[in-house]
Amino acid sequence: MNFDLLIDNLTNPALLFFVLGVLAVYLKSDLEIPENSSKFISLYLLFAIGFKGGQELSHEAITMEIGWAMLFGIFISLMIPLYTFFILRRKLNVFNAGAIAAAYGSVSAVTFVTAVTYLESQQLLLHGYMVAIMALMESPAIIIGLILISIFNKEESQKIRKSSIIKHSFTNGSVLLILGSLIIGYVANAKQAEGIKPFTNDLFKGFLAIFLLDMGITSGKKLKAFFSFGWFPIIFAIFIPLFNGCIIAFVSSFVTQDITNRFMFAVLAASASYIAVPAAMKISVPKANPGLLLPMALAVTFPINITVGMPIYFLIVQNC
């Protein structure tokens, strides 16, 4: 295991701001992020992820291989929340099951960046269009999560008609923003994107840190809920990502023979979103408990992936 990589990522400022938020709650501090500011930051992160993905995609010549890779990425983000939702529903309510399923079907940008570092340590380079595929994999999982919540939600007095569920999911503000930003980023030329670049690139990590601070405060207030569910969330957050990563590391050989692409697909399938999905669910499904979702994704799945998962996925893509 690469313990230097582990230490480097566990001391990542964004991750530490999340810990600071949790700590602030336990110290009974009055630290908080205003509600309006929190919503703005959530929307900003969705916009930045989508726009940067679109820009990366615009720099690539679209080939059959890239086209199949994109479809494969979307397929992964559609299938994982479909099957994980029904596992989660055995122990959790529909709101938490849908939000967590969407998170595990979606991707983690920080885990993605960590995987790039891992590839570099193996003297391998990432293909640029994988950044666009990462962005494309955010929305399908969110949409599936919203659809599943809409179908199985029995608590709301005004149910969404099943015939309009898909339309509702695509027109949901969070989904529309990330998809729209992806398209705008794709059609914008380099000169036009240059003016937005400081906002989408330079400020991103700062806003991410504040977002995770806010999520840490929110999680800290509801952290007891995480432990109140017993061992189930912890076991899920360990084994499901490893299962997803290993399966995709093997199955991806039918889509591409490129080792770096296969490795990145495995990492994307194994990762859990703690940026786009919590941001979307905070707006769309306020009944979902971030004190359950975020500790699972951040405190369990993230370190498992960077210490145990990545060496296993890389071994599989090298030998299968």
Side-chain angles (χ1 to χ4, degrees), residues 134-146:
M134 179 192 70
L136 284 171
M137 289 176 68
E138 295 276 13
S139 296
I142 297 172
I143 291 168
I144 291 296
L146 290 173

Side-chain angles (χ1 to χ4, degrees), residues 38-68:
S38 176
K39 185 173 181 179
F40 166 76
I41 293 169
S42 299
L43 293 173
Y44 162 77
L45 293 173
L46 295 171
F47 151 72
I49 291 170
F51 189 85
K52 286 189 291 185
Q55 275 289 290
E56 290 293 335
L57 186 59
S58 69
H59 298 154
E60 296 283 349
I62 305 300
T63 63
M64 283 294 293
E65 182 178 356
I66 293 176
W68 281 114

Side-chain angles (χ1 to χ4, degrees), residues 156-190:
E156 295 293 334
S157 58
Q158 293 184 340
K159 296 282 292 178
I160 301 170
R161 289 185 308 164
K162 292 184 179 180
S163 60
S164 62
I165 286 173
I166 295 178
K167 178 183 177 182
H168 170 78
S169 300
F170 276 101
T171 56
N172 173 273
S174 303
V175 175
L176 187 64
L177 178 59
I178 195 170
L179 285 175
S181 299
L182 182 73
I183 295 169
I184 292 169
Y186 179 77
V187 300
N189 59 43

Side-chain angles (χ1 to χ4, degrees), residues 73-125:
I74 293 171
F75 173 79
I76 293 170
S77 63
L78 288 172
M79 293 306 298
I80 290 176
L82 276 175
Y83 92 86
T84 54
F85 175 81
F86 294 102
I87 296 174
L88 291 159
R89 278 293 286 134
R90 297 175 67 87
K91 297 289 185 180
L92 306 177
N93 67 39
V94 67
F95 305 108
N96 286 328
I100 295 170
Y104 280 83
S106 188
V107 294
S108 162
V110 175
T111 308
F112 183 88
V113 172
T114 306
V116 174
T117 305
Y118 187 91
L119 282 177
E120 290 173 351
S121 72
Q122 304 295 324
Q123 286 77 51
L124 295 170
L125 295 176

Side-chain angles (χ1 to χ4, degrees), residues 2-312:
N2 192 332
F3 287 99
D4 290 335
L5 185 62
L6 171 63
I7 296 299
D8 184 57
N9 284 281
L10 291 180
T11 56
N12 183 291
L15 188 61
L16 292 177
F17 270 106
F18 174 81
V19 176
L20 177 62
V22 175
L23 184 63
V25 174
Y26 278 87
L27 293 176
K28 301 188 184 302
S29 169
D30 61 354
L31 176 64
E32 64 177 354
I33 306 297
E35 181 64 29
N36 288 339
S37 299
S38 176
K39 185 173 181 179
F40 166 76
I41 293 169
S42 299
L43 293 173
Y44 162 77
L45 293 173
L46 295 171
F47 151 72
I49 291 170
F51 189 85
K52 286 189 291 185
Q55 275 289 290
E56 290 293 335
L57 186 59
S58 69
H59 298 154
E60 296 283 349
I62 305 300
T63 63
M64 283 294 293
E65 182 178 356
I66 293 176
W68 281 114
M70 288 180 179
L71 290 174
F72 184 61
I74 293 171
F75 173 79
I76 293 170
S77 63
L78 288 172
M79 293 306 298
I80 290 176
L82 276 175
Y83 92 86
T84 54
F85 175 81
F86 294 102
I87 296 174
L88 291 159
R89 278 293 286 134
R90 297 175 67 87
K91 297 289 185 180
L92 306 177
N93 67 39
V94 67
F95 305 108
N96 286 328
I100 295 170
Y104 280 83
S106 188
V107 294
S108 162
V110 175
T111 308
F112 183 88
V113 172
T114 306
V116 174
T117 305
Y118 187 91
L119 282 177
E120 290 173 351
S121 72
Q122 304 295 324
Q123 286 77 51
L124 295 170
L125 295 176
L126 176 77
H127 295 289
Y129 58 82
M130 288 303 298
V131 179
I133 291 175
M134 179 192 70
L136 284 171
M137 289 176 68
E138 295 276 13
S139 296
I142 297 172
I143 291 168
I144 291 296
L146 290 173
I147 289 173
L148 290 169
I149 291 171
S150 298
I151 292 173
F152 291 95
N153 173 22
K154 307 297 182 183
E155 297 182 20
E156 295 293 334
S157 58
Q158 293 184 340
K159 296 282 292 178
I160 301 170
R161 289 185 308 164
K162 292 184 179 180
S163 60
S164 62
I165 286 173
I166 295 178
K167 178 183 177 182
H168 170 78
S169 300
F170 276 101
T171 56
N172 173 273
S174 303
V175 175
L176 187 64
L177 178 59
I178 195 170
L179 285 175
S181 299
L182 182 73
I183 295 169
I184 292 169
Y186 179 77
V187 300
N189 59 43
K191 184 177 180 181
Q192 292 168 330
E194 193 66 31
I196 302 177
K197 190 175 181 179
F199 189 62
T200 57
N201 288 28
D202 300 342
L203 298 177
F204 184 83
K205 289 185 178 179
F207 274 112
L208 174 60
I210 297 173
F211 175 76
L212 288 176
L213 173 64
D214 182 38
M215 290 292 98
I217 294 170
T218 303
S219 297
K221 292 177 180 177
K222 301 180 178 181
L223 199 55
K224 288 182 180 179
F226 180 58
F227 298 109
S228 70
F229 287 99
W231 286 100
F232 175 75
I234 299 172
I235 293 172
F236 179 95
I238 292 173
F239 290 105
I240 292 298
L242 291 175
F243 173 79
N244 291 339
C246 291
I247 290 295
I248 295 302
F250 176 75
V251 173
S252 60
S253 64
F254 296 101
V255 178
T256 176
Q257 293 300 313
D258 188 284
I259 290 177
T260 60
N261 284 351
R262 291 180 60 196
F263 174 74
M264 293 308 299
F265 274 128
V267 170
L268 289 171
S271 68
S273 171
Y274 56 86
I275 302 176
V277 173
M281 294 301 167
K282 183 181 179 69
I283 298 168
S284 308
V285 191
K287 288 189 177 181
N289 183 3
L292 183 59
L293 189 162
L294 285 167
M296 288 175 68
L298 267 175
V300 184
T301 296
F302 176 67
I304 285 293
N305 267 324
I306 65 176
T307 55
V308 179
M310 290 185 189
I312 294 174

